[in-house]
Amino acid sequence: MIELLMEALMSLCEAVYIPHSLILRYGGVNEVAVQVALGNLKLCRGEAYGELAYMAKPPIVTLKGPVKANCIVSRRCGEALEFSINIPRKPLIVIDVSMWSMHTRSELNSLISQIIGSIREVRRYLWDGALALTGVDEGFMEVFKRALGGMRTAVGIFKSIRDVALDNAVVLDPYGDVEADESLIRGAGAFIIGGIVDSEVAKPRATAELASRLGLNLPRVRLTFKGSLTGVPDRINKIVSIILMVRFSGYSLEDAILANQSRADKYSALNRLANMCRVCDYAKLAELAYSLGLPGDEKTMAVVRRFANRVR
């Protein structure tokens, strides 16, 4: 979002001053940019001096320093500047929560946390309107609003997924029959993700069941890492991050998955790949661990030693 906002301000501002208090309150310059786009903060004509905080055209400054800014972000001002942001309309990220009541309290808390994390991921590249929650009823909305606290959002809220315009959409399903690649991710108009967490109660093939319940006759697409589900993060916000990194930051799918893997995901991938190796010496397995971004600590080396020099 910050790049889109700065692009819109190139003809209006030499530099933009953001008070440090706003950066702290909203959690970063990108979050401040979202609030400007939502209309919760104003862009004002004024003069201020600060330190360079974000290199862009125009640059962003904050605190006190020598860099002059002729635009100021504020809650209110006498002369508010008008501008328009060219926000991409695709892709749309849809999280369907119609199965929310099947979760335990802990799983529901995790689901809500992952949705809030997904809002933050979408804000890195787009804005809140690029994320839609469907299957929302009064019970879920009550829990969701309580979890949001004072966080303001313009995420789309819909009772039914049929209320959402889906163009060239796919369902992300770990057991889907279509394997994702960069071309598919960069070409899809919408990604539908099941709002499902099964950390305590197993929900086998729940996404397929959800798609059937919703009557979605759409391609079911799986993300894989080196040909397997092993090592692919299962948190919704991580999946959203992977999609958007491939779509907007030029990452390959494998590199985006690597960047979003937890330490546990990496160890799972290492164990699988090492187990598949027919003849692997210590150096080759250590290099494999390094390529996954694992540290050379005792836990990693224990895996390397277990599989080293084994002939299958």
Side-chain angles (χ1 to χ4, degrees):
M1 172 55 76
I2 189 66
E3 289 83 2
L4 296 173
L5 177 62
M6 293 300 100
E7 183 179 332
L9 301 183
M10 284 181 63
S11 63
L12 295 173
C13 307
E14 296 173 5
V16 178
Y17 183 86
I18 302 178
H20 193 59
S21 59
L22 293 182
I23 295 176
L24 291 176
R25 175 173 179 175
Y26 291 105
V29 293
N30 192 71
E31 296 294 319
V32 171
V34 170
Q35 298 307 315
V36 173
L38 292 174
N40 298 325
L41 294 175
K42 307 294 184 184
L43 183 72
C44 312
R45 179 64 72 198
E47 186 175 294
Y49 290 82
E51 294 181 353
L52 185 65
Y54 189 89
M55 180 57 70
K57 292 183 179 180
I60 294 173
V61 298
T62 192
L63 297 172
K64 294 181 179 180
V67 182
K68 177 183 176 181
N70 63 341
C71 296
I72 300 173
V73 174
S74 180
R75 292 187 181 88
R76 59 186 67 86
C77 57
E79 183 187 352
L81 299 175
E82 294 185 359
F83 58 92
S84 59
I85 304 178
N86 183 24
I87 300 175
R89 296 186 177 275
K90 295 179 181 179
L92 177 66
I93 307 293
V94 179
I95 302 174
D96 188 273
V97 299
S98 56
M99 296 174 68
W100 75 272
S101 60
M102 296 175 59
H103 293 78
T104 66
R105 177 173 295 184
S106 176
E107 288 175 335
L108 180 58
N109 289 339
S110 178
L111 173 59
I112 297 291
S113 173
Q114 292 176 46
I115 291 172
I116 293 173
S118 297
I119 296 173
R120 296 194 173 100
E121 292 299 333
V122 166
R123 286 177 172 180
R124 293 178 187 273
Y125 301 92
L126 302 165
W127 77 296
D128 296 30
L131 180 63
L133 301 183
T134 61
V136 177
D137 59 18
E138 290 182 2
F140 179 85
M141 201 63 204
E142 181 181 347
V143 177
F144 185 54
K145 283 183 176 179
R146 189 164 57 244
L148 284 175
M151 180 180 177
R152 292 187 178 185
T153 177
V155 167
I157 304 293
F158 302 91
K159 289 184 177 180
S160 170
I161 199 167
R162 298 189 180 281
D163 298 329
V164 181
L166 297 176
D167 177 35
N168 193 24
V170 300
V171 178
L172 293 180
D173 180 353
Y175 299 100
D177 53 3
V178 178
E179 186 168 343
D181 59 19
E182 291 83 359
S183 177
L184 185 151
I185 291 172
R186 290 170 184 150
F191 297 90
I192 300 168
I193 302 171
I196 300 163
V197 175
D198 59 359
S199 55
E200 293 183 351
V201 178
K203 303 175 183 68
R205 301 188 180 273
T207 302
E209 179 185 343
L210 176 65
S212 177
R213 283 189 186 188
L214 298 176
L216 297 176
N217 186 22
L218 297 170
R220 289 174 37 235
V221 175
R222 68 184 186 276
L223 301 180
T224 60
F225 181 68
K226 297 186 183 296
S228 171
L229 296 176
T230 304
V232 177
D234 59 2
R235 290 183 63 87
I236 295 169
N237 54 300
K238 293 291 187 180
I239 294 170
V240 171
S241 177
I242 289 165
I243 294 300
L244 296 178
M245 288 175 73
V246 173
R247 186 73 173 243
F248 293 108
S249 292
Y251 277 68
S252 69
L253 178 55
E254 182 171 307
D255 285 345
I257 291 173
L258 264 173
N260 282 280
Q261 284 176 332
S262 65
R263 185 72 64 86
D265 293 327
K266 293 181 184 295
Y267 279 118
S268 294
L270 176 61
N271 274 285
R272 171 184 168 268
L273 293 169
N275 190 51
M276 290 173 58
C277 192
R278 291 183 175 276
V279 181
C280 287
D281 59 20
Y282 187 93
K284 184 175 181 179
L285 288 170
E287 182 181 352
L288 175 60
Y290 178 79
S291 72
L292 293 171
L294 285 168
D297 58 12
E298 179 56 33
K299 184 175 181 179
T300 302
M301 291 304 103
V303 176
V304 169
R305 286 193 297 270
R306 186 163 77 249
F307 290 99
N309 300 315
R310 184 187 63 169
V311 179
R312 298 185 67 202

